Amino acid sequence: MFIHGTEDTVTPSRISERAQQELSRLGAESHIILVEGANHMFDMFLTDPEDEAYRNYVLRGFQFLAAKTGLS
């Protein structure tokens, strides 16, 4: 699961896009969420489960990881 801001000035979002495409090509289940206008580590401050951005990005990432590791 890749969650990447389109305005990331540290690591361009195309890096995550390429990694996700390559994983998919190799048969691994992978997803990417591109967050329009977000910069590097934008999600670090998304901690409120009631926040829409938290639910749309952070929670979706946690749910994907939990499902894939058997923790859901």
Side-chain angles (χ1 to χ4, degrees), residues 11-57:
T11 307
S13 59
R14 72 178 182 278
I15 302 296
S16 288
E17 291 178 273
R18 173 89 189 270
Q20 189 274 327
Q21 290 168 354
E22 187 64 16
L23 285 168
S24 290
R25 186 186 71 75
L26 293 170
E29 183 179 353
S30 64
H31 301 278
I32 188 166
I33 300 171
L34 293 174
V35 183
E36 194 64 39
N39 203 336
H40 194 72
M41 295 181 66
F42 75 94
D43 56 338
M44 188 166 86
F45 302 103
L46 297 177
T47 59
D48 180 0
E50 300 302 315
D51 185 311
E52 182 178 358
Y54 177 91
R55 291 191 310 269
N56 288 338
Y57 309 123

